[in-house]
Amino acid sequence: NMDTLTLKPCPFCGSTDISLGEIMARDMETGEYYSQSECQNCGAAGPHNQIEGFFSHEIEERDIQKWNKRI
């Protein structure tokens, strides 16, 4: 569905300057890695996206879907 792949603006400030998967974090308890999107205007961070493999197109697609669900 193309709607899920169209990045929606930030729900807090309305900016469309969103970095996808720029924040990478590791859960120290589980050892799993996560990516997270961030609004470059107000700094709002999106939900964590567990990384199962380091394939950038898959990470980006999931980050878009997760970011869009929070609006």
Side-chain angles (χ1 to χ4, degrees):
N1 185 336
M2 286 303 290
D3 286 338
T4 59
L5 298 180
T6 302
L7 190 64
K8 294 182 180 179
C10 177
F12 300 105
C13 72
S15 174
T16 56
D17 187 9
I18 313 299
S19 65
L20 294 173
E22 291 295 321
I23 302 170
M24 301 295 242
R26 184 172 185 214
D27 184 320
M28 297 309 285
E29 290 181 24
T30 65
E32 295 171 333
Y33 287 90
Y34 294 87
S35 65
Q36 190 175 23
S37 300
E38 182 179 39
C39 175
Q40 297 300 295
N41 184 56
C42 74
H48 286 103
N49 176 25
Q50 183 178 345
I51 299 171
E52 294 160 1
F54 289 94
F55 301 105
S56 60
H57 66 281
E58 292 175 5
I59 294 170
E60 183 173 302
E61 183 176 318
R62 284 181 284 174
D63 279 343
I64 290 171
Q65 291 170 347
K66 293 242 181 188
W67 177 268
N68 287 349
K69 283 183 181 178
R70 61 193 294 260
I71 296 177

